[in-house]
Coordinates of all heavy atoms in Angstrom, one line a residue:
A67 N -88.2 -154.0 78.1 CA -87.7 -154.7 79.3 C -88.9 -155.2 80.1 O -90.1 -154.8 79.9 CB -86.8 -153.8 80.1
D68 N -88.6 -156.0 81.1 CA -89.6 -156.6 82.0 C -90.0 -155.5 83.0 O -89.1 -155.3 83.9 CB -89.2 -157.9 82.6 CG -90.3 -158.6 83.3 OD1 -91.0 -158.0 84.1 OD2 -90.4 -159.8 83.1
I69 N -91.1 -154.9 82.9 CA -91.4 -153.7 83.8 C -91.5 -154.1 85.2 O -91.2 -153.4 86.2 CB -92.8 -153.1 83.3 CG1 -92.7 -152.7 81.9 CG2 -93.1 -151.8 84.2 CD1 -91.6 -151.7 81.5
A70 N -92.0 -155.4 85.5 CA -92.0 -155.8 86.9 C -90.7 -155.8 87.6 O -90.5 -155.5 88.8 CB -92.7 -157.2 86.9
E71 N -89.6 -156.2 86.8 CA -88.3 -156.2 87.4 C -87.8 -154.7 87.5 O -87.2 -154.4 88.5 CB -87.3 -157.0 86.5 CG -87.5 -158.4 86.5 CD -86.5 -159.2 85.8 OE1 -85.7 -158.6 85.0 OE2 -86.4 -160.4 85.9
I72 N -88.1 -153.9 86.5 CA -87.6 -152.5 86.5 C -88.2 -151.8 87.7 O -87.5 -150.9 88.3 CB -87.9 -151.8 85.2 CG1 -87.0 -152.3 84.1 CG2 -87.8 -150.3 85.3 CD1 -87.2 -151.7 82.8
A73 N -89.4 -152.1 88.0 CA -90.1 -151.3 89.1 C -89.5 -151.5 90.5 O -89.6 -150.8 91.4 CB -91.6 -151.8 89.2
E74 N -88.6 -152.6 90.6 CA -87.9 -152.9 91.8 C -86.6 -152.2 91.9 O -85.9 -152.3 93.0 CB -87.8 -154.4 92.0 CG -89.1 -155.2 92.0 CD -89.9 -154.8 93.2 OE1 -89.4 -154.6 94.3 OE2 -91.2 -154.7 93.0
L75 N -86.2 -151.5 90.9 CA -84.8 -150.9 90.9 C -84.8 -149.6 91.8 O -85.8 -149.0 92.0 CB -84.4 -150.5 89.5 CG -84.2 -151.6 88.5 CD1 -83.9 -151.0 87.1 CD2 -83.1 -152.6 88.9
N76 N -83.6 -149.4 92.3 CA -83.4 -148.2 93.1 C -82.1 -147.6 92.6 O -81.4 -148.1 91.7 CB -83.4 -148.4 94.6 CG -82.4 -149.5 95.0 OD1 -81.2 -149.5 94.5 ND2 -82.8 -150.5 95.8
E77 N -81.7 -146.5 93.2 CA -80.5 -145.8 92.8 C -79.2 -146.6 93.0 O -78.2 -146.5 92.2 CB -80.3 -144.5 93.6 CG -79.3 -143.5 93.0 CD -79.3 -142.1 93.6 OE1 -80.3 -141.8 94.3 OE2 -78.4 -141.4 93.3
N79 N -79.0 -150.2 92.9 CA -78.9 -151.4 92.0 C -79.2 -151.0 90.5 O -79.0 -151.7 89.6 CB -79.7 -152.6 92.4 CG -81.2 -152.2 92.5 OD1 -81.7 -151.3 91.9 ND2 -81.9 -153.0 93.3
G80 N -79.8 -149.8 90.3 CA -80.1 -149.3 89.0 C -78.8 -149.2 88.1 O -78.8 -149.5 86.9
R81 N -77.7 -148.7 88.7 CA -76.5 -148.5 88.0 C -76.0 -149.8 87.5 O -75.6 -150.0 86.3 CB -75.4 -147.8 88.8 CG -74.1 -147.7 88.1 CD -73.0 -147.2 89.1 NE -73.3 -145.8 89.5 CZ -72.9 -144.7 88.9 NH1 -72.2 -144.8 87.7 NH2 -73.2 -143.5 89.3
F83 N -77.7 -152.6 87.0 CA -78.6 -153.1 86.0 C -78.3 -152.5 84.7 O -78.2 -153.3 83.7 CB -80.0 -152.7 86.4 CG -81.1 -153.1 85.5 CD1 -81.7 -154.3 85.6 CD2 -81.5 -152.3 84.5 CE1 -82.7 -154.8 84.8 CE2 -82.5 -152.7 83.6 CZ -83.1 -153.9 83.8
A84 N -78.0 -151.2 84.6 CA -77.7 -150.6 83.3 C -76.3 -151.1 82.8 O -76.2 -151.4 81.6 CB -77.7 -149.1 83.4
G111 N -87.8 -149.8 73.6 CA -86.9 -149.7 74.8 C -85.7 -150.6 74.6 O -84.9 -150.4 73.7
G112 N -85.5 -151.6 75.5 CA -84.4 -152.5 75.4 C -84.4 -153.3 74.1 O -83.3 -153.7 73.6
E115 N -82.8 -151.0 71.7 CA -81.3 -151.0 72.0 C -80.6 -152.3 71.6 O -79.5 -152.2 71.1 CB -81.2 -150.8 73.5 CG -81.6 -149.4 74.0 CD -81.6 -149.3 75.5 OE1 -82.4 -150.0 76.2 OE2 -80.8 -148.4 76.0
Q133 N -88.0 -145.5 71.8 CA -87.3 -145.5 73.2 C -88.3 -144.8 74.1 O -88.1 -143.6 74.4 CB -86.0 -144.8 73.1 CG -85.0 -145.5 72.2 CD -84.4 -146.8 72.8 OE1 -83.8 -147.5 72.0 NE2 -84.6 -147.1 74.0
P134 N -89.3 -145.5 74.6 CA -90.4 -144.8 75.4 C -90.1 -144.8 76.9 O -91.1 -144.6 77.7 CB -91.6 -145.7 75.0 CG -91.1 -147.0 74.9 CD -89.7 -146.9 74.2
E135 N -88.9 -145.0 77.3 CA -88.6 -145.1 78.7 C -89.0 -143.8 79.5 O -89.3 -143.9 80.7 CB -87.1 -145.3 78.9 CG -86.6 -146.6 78.6 CD -86.1 -146.7 77.1 OE1 -86.5 -145.8 76.3 OE2 -85.5 -147.7 76.8
V136 N -89.1 -142.7 78.8 CA -89.4 -141.4 79.5 C -90.8 -141.5 80.1 O -91.2 -140.9 81.1 CB -89.3 -140.2 78.6 CG1 -90.4 -140.3 77.5 CG2 -89.4 -138.9 79.3
N137 N -91.7 -142.4 79.5 CA -93.0 -142.6 80.0 C -93.0 -143.2 81.4 O -94.0 -143.2 82.1 CB -93.9 -143.4 79.1 CG -94.1 -142.7 77.8 OD1 -94.3 -141.5 77.7 ND2 -94.0 -143.4 76.7
L138 N -91.9 -143.9 81.8 CA -91.8 -144.5 83.1 C -90.9 -143.7 84.0 O -90.6 -144.2 85.1 CB -91.1 -145.9 82.9 CG -91.9 -146.9 82.0 CD1 -91.0 -148.2 81.8 CD2 -93.2 -147.3 82.6
G139 N -90.6 -142.5 83.6 CA -89.7 -141.7 84.4 C -88.2 -142.2 84.3 O -87.4 -141.9 85.2
L140 N -87.9 -142.8 83.2 CA -86.6 -143.4 83.0 C -86.0 -142.8 81.7 O -86.6 -142.1 80.9 CB -86.6 -144.9 82.9 CG -86.8 -145.7 84.2 CD1 -87.0 -147.1 83.9 CD2 -85.6 -145.5 85.1
I141 N -84.7 -143.2 81.5 CA -84.1 -143.0 80.2 C -83.6 -144.4 79.7 O -83.5 -145.3 80.4 CB -82.9 -142.1 80.3 CG1 -81.7 -142.7 81.2 CG2 -83.3 -140.7 80.9 CD1 -80.4 -141.9 81.1
P142 N -83.2 -144.5 78.4 CA -82.6 -145.8 78.0 C -81.4 -146.0 78.8 O -80.6 -145.1 79.0 CB -82.3 -145.5 76.5 CG -83.2 -144.4 76.1 CD -83.4 -143.6 77.3
G143 N -81.2 -147.3 79.1 CA -80.0 -147.6 80.0 C -79.1 -148.7 79.4 O -78.1 -149.0 80.0
Y144 N -79.4 -149.3 78.3 CA -78.6 -150.3 77.7 C -77.8 -149.8 76.5 O -77.6 -150.5 75.5 CB -79.5 -151.5 77.3 CG -79.9 -152.4 78.4 CD1 -80.7 -153.5 78.2 CD2 -79.5 -152.2 79.7 CE1 -81.1 -154.4 79.2 CE2 -79.9 -153.0 80.8 CZ -80.7 -154.1 80.5 OH -81.1 -154.9 81.5
T147 N -79.1 -144.1 74.5 CA -78.8 -142.7 74.3 C -77.6 -142.5 73.4 O -77.5 -141.5 72.7 CB -78.5 -142.0 75.7 OG1 -77.4 -142.6 76.3 CG2 -79.7 -142.1 76.6
L162 N -86.9 -138.2 69.8 CA -87.5 -139.6 70.0 C -87.4 -140.0 71.4 O -88.4 -140.6 71.9 CB -86.8 -140.6 69.1 CG -87.1 -140.5 67.6 CD1 -86.2 -141.4 66.8 CD2 -88.5 -140.7 67.3
M163 N -86.3 -139.7 72.1 CA -86.2 -140.1 73.5 C -87.0 -139.2 74.4 O -87.6 -139.7 75.4 CB -84.7 -140.2 73.9 CG -84.0 -141.3 73.3 SD -82.3 -141.5 73.8 CE -81.5 -140.2 72.8
M164 N -87.1 -137.9 74.1 CA -87.9 -137.0 75.0 C -89.4 -137.2 74.9 O -90.1 -137.0 75.9 CB -87.5 -135.6 74.7 CG -86.1 -135.1 75.1 SD -85.8 -133.4 74.6 CE -84.2 -133.2 75.5
T165 N -89.8 -137.5 73.7 CA -91.3 -137.7 73.5 C -91.7 -139.1 73.7 O -92.9 -139.4 74.0 CB -91.7 -137.3 72.0 OG1 -91.0 -138.2 71.1 CG2 -91.3 -135.9 71.7
G166 N -90.8 -140.1 73.5 CA -91.2 -141.5 73.6 C -92.0 -142.0 72.5 O -92.6 -143.0 72.5

Side-chain angles (χ1 to χ4, degrees):
D68 192 310
I69 305 301
E71 288 186 348
I72 287 181
E74 299 298 320
L75 295 177
N76 55 46
E77 193 169 348
N79 60 21
R81 176 189 295 273
F83 179 88
E115 291 174 298
Q133 299 288 167
E135 288 90 347
V136 69
N137 294 321
L138 300 174
L140 284 173
I141 66 170
Y144 284 180
T147 62
L162 290 173
M163 287 185 282
M164 287 179 174
T165 63

